[in-house]
Amino acid sequence: MVTLKQLAEQLNVSVSTVSKALHDSDEISPETIERVKDLAAFLNYKPNKLALSLKNSKTNTIGVIIPNILNHFFAKALYAIEMEASKHGYNIITCVSNELQSKEINSLQLLSNGSVDGFILSLAEETQVANNVSHINDILQQNIPVVLFDRVSDDIHSDKVIIDDFGAAYETTKHLLSEGRTHIVLISNIDELSVGKLRVNGYLAALEEASNYENEPIVITIEKDNSVEDGVQQLFEKHQSVDGIISIDNTSGVVALQKALKLNYNIPNDLSIIGFSDENVLQFTDPKLSTVSQHTVDIGRASVELLINRLKDKGSTAKITKTIKTNLILRETTK
């Protein structure tokens, strides 16, 4: 790699002169600037970004750690983070934990050596289930800012971007009640995650408030080792009088709709179905699935904004939690 020193020696000028010339300093004559830049281009000189970042204590790079790149929500959030970071002059380095705490820890250790200025992170499933977040608090203790999004923890004192998961499920349940539904079932394969628990609680709260609702709340939990199809099959076998289904993950709503159609349910006269997240294929089902929109792009943008603001004001102890409002998009699987 060609260095500033080598350029200076060939031009018989000081290293300082070469550096200033490459940055178009007014202290250097136009002729010298031209000579320096011509030689730098001829020798394919590239600035040593690592050395510059160590000198300036700034890399203009953000570390992003997501749990699952195949999940459309996280893929779209990553897209929004990259676009917003680029607008502010930042690059991103992305790591995928694959829901493993060990990979989350390794990613933090790999990038916290000066490679990035801060982190945007959504917790791995293992981290949430174990409720062990000491590795993230260790990063914060090093004065490296962390912004959590979607999956968060009350035990981490950092900025956060969330959606109103409780309110989203509460309003969804209230809508089905307004349709006159009397046997509403909730189905989930994310029951161990913070977002899943909040959505279940929103469902339960809405039913508890409904004085004329006589059936017990029913939550169908799809175990990790079981398929979504098996969980939906169990729902229809055990609860044949179901007239409302809320799917709080982004796949079981589609599976429930297809299964209901095969069982000759009239949608939405006999049965209303509402999914969670209108991303990817959910709005292309036939009939079109009613869904809760999470506004994923807004989540990504807000995460970057919070991190950049924190980098500008590391001394502030007040942490911000920004809540992105959801909205219920009614299509053809609801009345």
Side-chain angles (χ1 to χ4, degrees):
M1 181 180 288
V2 178
T3 65
L4 288 177
K5 184 178 179 181
Q6 289 170 325
L7 292 176
E9 288 175 348
Q10 291 203 36
L11 293 166
N12 197 29
V13 296
S14 68
V15 171
S16 175
T17 297
V18 172
S19 178
K20 290 177 180 180
L22 290 172
H23 290 88
D24 296 308
S25 171
D26 293 338
E27 299 176 30
I28 308 301
S29 69
E31 294 80 9
T32 302
I33 290 176
E34 185 177 1
R35 286 177 59 217
V36 170
K37 287 190 173 182
D38 285 348
L39 181 62
F42 178 74
L43 296 177
N44 197 29
Y45 167 77
K46 296 286 190 301
N48 187 329
K49 291 186 176 181
L50 179 58
L52 286 172
S53 67
L54 292 173
K55 179 181 178 181
N56 300 327
S57 299
K58 188 176 182 182
T59 68
N60 276 75
T61 303
I62 297 169
V64 183
I65 305 175
I66 59 174
N68 182 356
I69 194 65
L70 299 178
N71 182 304
H72 194 263
F73 168 81
F74 290 116
K76 192 162 187 178
L78 179 62
Y79 167 81
I81 289 168
E82 196 283 328
M83 293 292 288
E84 188 67 18
S86 182
K87 278 171 51 179
H88 292 275
Y90 280 79
N91 296 309
I92 68 169
I93 297 176
T94 306
C95 295
V96 182
S97 67
N98 283 330
E99 306 290 9
L100 301 174
Q101 187 179 64
S102 60
K103 293 199 72 172
E104 188 174 83
I105 292 171
N106 289 340
S107 297
L108 286 168
Q109 290 177 342
L110 174 69
L111 298 179
S112 62
N113 62 352
S115 299
V116 299
D117 297 333
F119 288 96
I120 296 174
L121 168 71
S122 189
L123 296 175
E125 181 177 352
E126 277 192 358
T127 300
Q128 286 215 308
V129 172
N131 194 30
N132 181 357
V133 294
S134 59
H135 54 294
I136 298 170
N137 286 323
D138 287 344
I139 296 296
L140 290 166
Q141 287 294 317
Q142 297 173 42
N143 204 29
I144 301 174
V146 176
V147 172
L148 298 178
F149 76 96
D150 189 52
R151 301 183 193 173
V152 302
S153 169
D154 291 337
D155 295 329
I156 301 173
H157 187 55
S158 73
D159 297 320
K160 303 177 177 77
V161 180
I162 59 173
I163 67 168
D164 184 6
D165 288 289
F166 178 95
Y170 176 87
E171 294 300 331
T172 299
T173 309
K174 295 284 278 188
H175 175 81
L176 292 182
L177 289 168
S178 73
E179 290 186 2
R181 302 303 182 182
T182 61
H183 195 155
I184 302 170
V185 175
L186 181 143
I187 185 167
S188 167
N189 63 7
I190 55 171
D191 61 297
E192 293 187 317
L193 302 177
S194 59
V195 293
K197 292 174 182 176
L198 287 168
R199 293 170 195 176
V200 169
N201 289 340
Y203 159 79
L204 296 174
L207 291 186
E208 188 176 346
E209 287 181 10
S211 57
N212 59 344
Y213 189 84
E214 297 180 354
N215 286 307
E216 291 294 319
I218 297 169
V219 177
I220 301 292
T221 299
I222 300 173
E223 301 297 336
K224 192 171 184 180
D225 295 332
N226 295 337
S227 70
V228 175
E229 289 80 2
D230 290 342
V232 171
Q233 180 70 30
Q234 175 191 353
L235 185 161
F236 285 107
E237 288 177 355
K238 291 188 175 182
H239 308 286
Q240 296 178 7
S241 61
V242 59
D243 60 5
I245 294 176
I246 301 171
S247 162
I248 62 168
D249 59 78
N250 62 3
T251 55
S252 58
V254 175
V255 176
L257 173 58
Q258 298 307 311
K259 184 64 178 176
L261 292 172
K262 287 182 180 179
L263 293 172
N264 296 318
Y265 280 86
N266 185 310
I267 309 294
N269 291 332
D270 300 336
L271 171 66
S272 285
I273 303 175
I274 301 178
F276 216 96
S277 173
D278 64 340
E279 311 293 352
N280 210 7
V281 300
L282 300 197
Q283 69 267 43
F284 302 115
T285 57
D286 186 16
K288 293 181 174 62
L289 187 68
S290 296
T291 52
V292 175
S293 175
Q294 295 173 275
H295 300 294
T296 312
V297 170
D298 292 339
I299 293 171
R301 288 173 178 163
S303 299
V304 174
E305 290 171 2
L306 275 183
L307 183 62
I308 290 175
N309 289 339
R310 180 61 57 188
L311 289 167
K312 292 177 181 176
D313 186 18
K314 286 188 176 182
S316 174
T317 57
K319 304 303 179 186
I320 297 171
T321 295
K322 184 163 187 177
T323 302
I324 306 296
K325 294 297 291 183
T326 63
N327 65 294
L328 182 58
I329 300 177
L330 299 176
R331 298 191 180 96
E332 297 172 354
T333 60
T334 47
K335 291 182 179 179

